[in-house]
Amino acid sequence: MESLKEMCRGLPLDPLPENRGRDSRVPHAPARTPKLSSEEKKLALQNSLRYFPPKFHKQLAQEFAAELRDYGHIYMYRFCPDIEMRAYPIGAYPCKTKQAAAIMHMIMNNLDPAVAQFPQELVTYGGNGQVFSNWAQFWLVMHYLSQMTEEQTLVMYSGHPMGLFPSHPNAPRVAITNGMVIPNYSSREEYEKSFAMGVTMYGQMTAGSYCYIGPQGIVHGTVLTVLNAGRRYLGQDDLAGRVFVTSGLGGMSGAQAKAAVIAGCVAVIAEVDEAALLKRYKQGWLMEITDSLDCCIQQLRKARRNKTVLSLGYRGNVVDLWERLVREYDTTGDMLVDLGSDQTSCHNPFSGGYYPVQLSFPEANLLMARDQEKFSELVRDSLRRQVAAINRLAEKGMFFWDYGNAFLLEAKRAGADVEKKGAKNMEFRYPSYVQHIMGDIFSLGFGPFRWVCTSGDPQDLAATDLIATAELEDIIKKGVAVSVKQQYRDNIRWIREAGKHNLVVGSQARILYSDQKGRVAIAVAINQAIADGRVKAPVVISRDHHDVSGTDSPYRETANIYDGSAFCADMAVQNFVGDAFRGATWVSLHNGGGVGWGEVINGGFGLVLDGSKEAQNRAKMMLSWDVSNGVARRCWSGNTHAYETIRRTMDEADNLIVTLPHLVEDSNILERALHGH
């Protein structure tokens, strides 16, 4: 087994490591079907071999050709490190800078088998959210980070380390781009080819930016979504006895079970992959599991009747679950579900993100590799059946929303009945959760702020929880606007109780929805705690790309932008650029994430707090921009919450001047002007 020191020496070539192949103890990504021509296959091999001296080409070419043939991509399994992959304490990494060691900590967390969906394929979550494209890239990145000084920046091209380039201490230590292809070639088909050839990569959101923190990463957002869905659709705060039905437990969707328990409802979550289901059960994120629909309905009825909290994992296809709920209604008149959604990886429906109801899990994986056209048709038929069942229950009072995973978009493409009469092309029969539930939260400047204690010590995380609680309580004590008071109350309740919910999987991390004022206050206070020795090691602050400013996605984050700019990506690109020169330790910009390749541009950052005055100044400047950019854009689109928020922020910040819109008060003048009256 390698040590961290050995892992940082560069590609192991003398001798080549033993080819141990794929590890049967961990789940693996489905085989891909990129449909390469003969010349493209040669190019894929050629591109993979350029990481190695010519004397190894003959031997490795045979292996890599077999991987390309069998799995549709060259992962370089021989070079998967023989080390316990996890987030080690920052002091264990042999680096010249704390910033580089912190980035190593984050990378290894993304690939930890307890965290990653398909660790040997370097997939963190979402079915195809890559950290790197192959294992050679991992070795080179770790080597470069170990050598890096504060006068260098590591440049990353879609998983490939282009190299260390001269820069300066205030520049980002790493600059990442993933999937930045020319727009006219940003199709799903072109992506499959380009990824197989090793020239681009789907980084999802926080996979390719090294900022994933396990399913906890969206637990707080999912809790807020379910709570606010109850308030909006059911008119109540107390969800005891209310039933939430959804699907997906593999990656970030694994948060749904824990979130439902925290929200106090009954949740039934379908998952076709037994390994994913058991993983969440063993981690304590699922209370009970079953593979019987009869048992599922029986337990659901009992929990609903007794108003007991339950997270039940059903090993089976969600279409079967929805259709059974319809039959229960038709035969007994009992509406057994109140709220519904879906978190399958529908951005990737034909490559393992969505499994058709007509086949078992093994049968589906086999057909996916052998007959992509037939598999795709079964997926489309399955989507149509799922929507038909949802529609039937929705007509009787169940409330359904799209969770931003491209479910309704792919259902529409499959011919399912999801059209909304008289709607724009971005709107469906059911709303996106951003449109009805979370959009106002973003417009108020609240989003998924995160931090990671690189000491790996739970005591440090507990200390930061107390710090965050104190800072939020102090802000609300000094007075906040009526429009954000409920958000602060929800967030204070969340952070007070976070420790008891056993949310940590992998690194010692925390997620907390917060606005600009809260983020800055928490970051400054944590930085001071590091300086004082109350927190023992540097802390990385970050956020999900799914945030106020980080993502332009017309079917999710910007679904409530109605001025025609929802398909424009200026906000996410400006965020990436602005974070880079305002103090971020690393920055990333991605094509794809959440709703799929070609459907979204998103970016993120990591910033290392080390207790220094410089770190405090960087945090203040960068976090302020990172939130205000998105609020200003949402204000300009006509959102009243964002207008009020940015006005308050300008009153509090001396150097902030935002262009404010003058809204048309009488819409009749538009018609008259256009018709010459």
Side-chain angles (χ1 to χ4, degrees), residues 51 73-76 121-122 130-135 137 158-160 195 197-201:
Y51 287 102
H73 186 75
I74 299 170
Y75 297 105
M76 306 184 184
E121 287 75 42
L122 303 108
Q130 305 282 148
V131 185
F132 304 108
S133 181
N134 59 58
W135 284 106
Q137 294 171 350
S158 292
H160 170 68
F195 179 60
M197 290 190 290
V199 296
T200 197
M201 187 183 87

Side-chain angles (χ1 to χ4, degrees), residues 20-36:
R20 291 170 288 126
R22 302 218 302 183
D23 186 345
S24 61
R25 296 168 298 177
V26 298
H28 291 280
R32 311 184 74 90
T33 53
K35 297 180 182 177
L36 299 181

Side-chain angles (χ1 to χ4, degrees), residues 196-214:
M197 290 190 290
V199 296
T200 197
M201 187 183 87
Y202 190 83
Q204 260 287 355
M205 291 190 162
T206 52
S209 66
Y210 322 145
C211 292
Y212 189 66
I213 60 169

Side-chain angles (χ1 to χ4, degrees), residues 549-552 569-577 589 601-603 629:
S549 305
T551 299
D552 283 295
D570 300 83
M571 179 177 72
V573 175
Q574 287 284 356
N575 227 65
F576 166 79
V577 174
L589 185 67
I601 298 293
N602 65 91
N629 171 43

Side-chain angles (χ1 to χ4, degrees), residues 135-171:
W135 284 106
Q137 294 171 350
F138 170 85
W139 284 92
L140 287 174
V141 166
M142 298 302 273
H143 175 63
Y144 286 146
L145 288 171
S146 72
Q147 297 299 306
M148 174 190 288
T149 72
E150 291 190 350
E151 302 289 338
Q152 293 171 307
T153 292
L154 174 60
V155 177
M156 297 294 301
Y157 280 31
S158 292
H160 170 68
M162 192 57 69
L164 291 169
F165 291 79
S167 60
H168 54 82
N170 290 325

Side-chain angles (χ1 to χ4, degrees), residues 68-79:
L68 184 63
R69 180 182 63 250
D70 295 342
Y71 310 120
H73 186 75
I74 299 170
Y75 297 105
M76 306 184 184
Y77 290 112
R78 175 190 285 271
F79 295 94

